[in-house]
Amino acid sequence: MAECPEVAVDINRLRHGQVFHYLASAAEPEPRLGMRVLVPFGSKTVQGWVVGYSAPPEGIALRSILSVVGQEPDFNPELLSLARWMAGYYLHPLSEMLKLIAPPPKPLLSRKRAPSEGMSTAGNHGRLLLSDEQATALKEIDVALRAGAGGEFLLHGITGSGKTEVYLRSAMTALALGRQALYLVPEIALTPQAGAWFRSALGDQVAIWHSRLARGEKYEIWEGIRQGRLGVLIGPRSAVFAPFKNLGLIIIDEEQDSSYKQQESPYYHAGQVAAQRALYNRAVLLMGSATPSLESYTVARSGQYRLLRLTRRPRGRQLPRVTIVDLKTERRAQFSLLSQSLSGKIAQRLQHQEQVILLLNRRGYSPIVFCPLCGHVLKCERCSVSLVYHRNTGDLRCHYCNFRRSLPSSCPGCGADRSLRFLGTGIQRVEHSLKRLYPEARIQRLDFDTTRRKGDFDRILTSFGGRQIDILLGTQMVAKGHDFPGVTLVGVLNADLALGLPDYRSTERTYQLLAQVAGRAGRGRAPGEVVVQTYWPDHYSIRAACFGSYVSFYQEEIKNRALAGYPPFGELIRVRVSGAKEQQVIDRSTELAEDLAGLLTGQEAQLLGPAPAPVLRLKDQFRWQLMIKGKSGVLKDKISDVIQRFQKNTSVIISIEVDPYGF
Ligand code: ADP
Ligand code: ZN
């Protein structure tokens, strides 16, 4: 039989790459590749996309496409093949991946391009005299760009070593060669400077992409990229799907950042997607970080990525001096988390009108509210986690599902009046102590709760940059990418918060967070200082972060990964079973585990679980999980088949996450 259109129909429960053949409609012109169509499916009409043409299998009666939507394809061949790769790699229905990549809808009214907000064009970026290390790195990238055959680079540069300048110059070269550049950042709001630097050097061929843009603006940018009018796109992970006409360079700043991983379905990692696009386009992939992920550094050491190093800060600026404070021996710190030595240093810096950043990665006032008389702990009604007290609003909140209730005046367990006590210290509690300790200081908290509205984040950072704030106290939000020359002291109130989490990346996360926040100090003329408070002063991740040695951290941590068979030594696939009835969830996960175990016998992969997820109940859903560890890549299709068959006959929900994050 002749070739017919293959349609990825928009039905969620399909096997990951599954497509259906249809006949072209007699009434319509033959749909072109990548076009959206309406097709009959069962008794319904559903949308789908033409993703190829092939001869259908013998002996089935084909139905016809009902209509073709729009005049132009939604996807070019590159994006179609990207979607197919993603469906296969992440074991997810093709139509879901296509919807992720699909262009923003065309607005009904065409409007002028809005001027970009808040972009200063000051600065001499792109014209600085490069340091030797910057020049050496750039030369290699330049050669690869000019050769036009792609290439993968890992730029390992300490904080403040001038990586942005290397990104900028590489983008300038790509543009000069008539190619486009994509510059991925962990979160657009965290890099207010990057856009301005690029704009000041390259003008309005630079577009900034983020989720808060109006629809019309999104459409305009996508069109500009597609037609080649725009040369550089800066954005967070979703920018990786832009329909470039001639992509020559992809930069991934802070490549280790977990925000590149979409942590909800459809799961994907923008770095992996970017690598696919770079290959297809023969584009140069430039990943940069002060604290590369273990995965990337391992690849770089093997020589598969070219490793480029920046080991010094320009203009002779020094890395800050670090002091470790052992919280076990600091009695005062146990309540307010402000050790004597740290509070003394804060006072000193305030006196000199210098600025301070304090980090405590824990929202709210107190993470546990309990009754000392009966031991009752206040928990979320829908999740198996304790409620966090928020002082400013006077209520208790679930940080997983946002459930709220007011603080009861008597204990719900034993009824005792006013018996509830706060255990542990959150960032609001520290804020409270700081205000008492330094009544003159201008103190600002930067966390999820103070940045709920659009523009909050930028406003806080701008006033900190303008020196209208003396102490910026924040969660991990204060750690990333900022360049504030007035900051001479950084204090980490409790370095250990992440260390105990049941996640094989928790040590790496701790290291990265500390190294990043320490890098905020001493970027100006005055030298910087960092105080790290910990109950675990000898832990290798804390020592390595404090004394600036990535390699020593890497060598220690990679041994642990090897021992446990975790990435980069083995792949991980997480299968999660969830449902409203716990027993049903347990039974189904046990059955699914048996089916999967059968598949894995004799393979270099092993099945772990079933076990309850670390947060067992979330929004009234019980969750159990299985983990497939080892060489699972070659078995993916079979794993997906088993799960697909299983899912058909059960009411529990099964989700698959390849290379999972967060446990
Ligand atoms: P990183 O991204 O590596 O942490 P940045 O790119 O933010 O570092 O650079 C840190 C500071 O150094 C910035 O203020 C930047 O303007 C400055 N800088 C970068 N390169 C040079 C250079 N060649 N000469 C002088 N200053 C530089
Ligand atoms: Zn909850």
Side-chain angles (χ1 to χ4, degrees), residues 73-93:
D74 278 351
F75 306 101
N76 64 27
E78 186 216 340
L79 293 175
L80 281 179
S81 88
L82 185 71
R84 284 202 188 227
W85 176 83
M86 289 174 69
Y89 186 85
Y90 297 111
L91 301 177
H92 206 72

Side-chain angles (χ1 to χ4, degrees), residues 378-614:
L378 276 87
K379 294 221 159 136
C380 177
E381 289 173 6
R382 304 192 282 170
C383 313
S384 50
V385 297
S386 56
L387 291 170
V388 178
Y389 177 54
H390 281 244
R391 190 169 200 271
N392 301 49
T393 43
D395 56 4
L396 299 165
R397 297 184 185 192
C398 172
H399 284 184
Y400 285 82
C401 76
N402 225 12
F403 166 85
R404 293 177 191 194
R405 60 166 297 176
S406 55
L407 181 68
S409 59
S410 57
C411 169
C414 66
D417 202 32
R418 291 177 201 287
S419 67
L420 295 176
R421 293 290 173 270
F422 302 123
L423 196 65
T425 300
I427 193 165
Q428 293 178 359
R429 196 168 203 168
V430 176
E431 183 187 22
H432 194 64
S433 317
L434 283 173
K435 284 188 169 150
R436 273 202 325 242
L437 275 169
Y438 313 106
E440 313 280 278
R442 295 162 300 175
I443 299 167
Q444 173 67 50
R445 182 156 52 85
L446 181 72
D447 61 13
F448 181 77
D449 302 290
T450 59
T451 54
R452 296 302 298 273
R453 278 165 309 151
K454 182 177 171 173
D456 283 344
F457 191 91
D458 289 345
R459 197 167 45 247
I460 293 176
L461 288 193
T462 306
S463 49
F464 192 56
R467 301 229 176 184
Q468 285 139 14
I469 295 171
D470 302 308
I471 304 179
L472 186 67
L473 165 70
T475 54
Q476 96 290 342
M477 281 186 185
V478 296
K480 299 182 189 180
H482 319 296
D483 193 28
F484 296 116
V487 175
T488 54
L489 175 65
V490 167
V492 179
L493 299 177
N494 185 349
D496 322 334
L497 281 184
L499 275 180
L501 297 179
D503 180 342
Y504 75 89
R505 284 195 183 88
S506 65
T507 321
E508 185 181 12
R509 286 274 172 77
T510 299
Y511 170 79
Q512 285 165 352
L513 183 61
L514 294 183
Q516 291 287 343
V517 75
R520 300 307 119 213
R523 289 181 163 239
R525 236 166 262 127
E529 177 170 17
V530 179
V531 176
V532 174
Q533 305 188 143
T534 170
Y535 288 101
W536 220 331
D538 295 322
H539 194 284
Y540 65 89
S541 71
I542 292 178
R543 296 201 76 81
C546 291
F547 303 115
S549 170
Y550 176 79
V551 174
S552 71
F553 167 73
Y554 175 86
Q555 283 168 347
E556 221 24 69
E557 183 62 8
I558 201 75
K559 278 191 255 168
N560 296 337
R561 296 280 178 93
L563 275 175
Y566 280 129
F569 298 99
E571 296 148 49
L572 281 181
I573 298 178
R574 171 168 56 201
V575 182
R576 205 164 247 174
V577 179
S578 53
K581 299 205 182 90
E582 186 171 20
Q583 194 54 48
Q584 202 181 23
V585 169
I586 299 174
D587 294 345
R588 292 298 91 75
S589 352
T590 313
E591 289 160 23
L592 181 58
E594 281 161 15
D595 288 6
L596 287 171
L599 189 70
L600 299 182
T601 7
Q603 302 287 343
E604 285 176 66
Q606 117 196 66
L607 185 74
L608 307 176

Side-chain angles (χ1 to χ4, degrees), residues 342-353 356 438 489:
L342 179 57
S343 47
K345 284 180 205 282
I346 294 174
Q348 250 175 40
R349 300 298 172 170
L350 292 175
Q351 239 166 37
H352 290 102
Q353 267 130 47
V356 178
Y438 313 106
L489 175 65

Side-chain angles (χ1 to χ4, degrees), residues 17-58:
Q18 202 171 359
V19 293
F20 293 87
H21 286 94
Y22 282 88
L23 296 169
S25 144
E28 305 242 359
E30 176 105 346
R32 280 179 287 151
L33 194 65
M35 282 183 126
R36 186 149 69 98
V37 292
L38 295 177
V39 295
F41 193 82
S43 58
K44 291 197 203 113
T45 297
V46 296
Q47 67 166 356
W49 285 273
V50 176
V51 296
Y53 303 90
S54 64
E58 301 280 324

Side-chain angles (χ1 to χ4, degrees), residues 177-195:
L177 292 164
R179 301 189 71 179
Q180 292 165 296
L182 168 64
Y183 176 16
L184 294 175
V185 293
E187 197 183 311
I188 200 71
L190 287 167
T191 51
Q193 291 145 342

Side-chain angles (χ1 to χ4, degrees), residues 125 128-131 134 157-165 167 197 253 310 314-315 481 483 520 523:
H125 300 288
L128 287 171
L129 184 64
L130 293 176
S131 70
Q134 283 172 322
I158 62 165
T159 53
S161 59
K163 294 185 285 295
T164 318
E165 197 64 24
Y167 303 150
W197 290 19
D253 193 13
L310 304 179
R315 289 179 281 186
D483 193 28
R520 300 307 119 213
R523 289 181 163 239

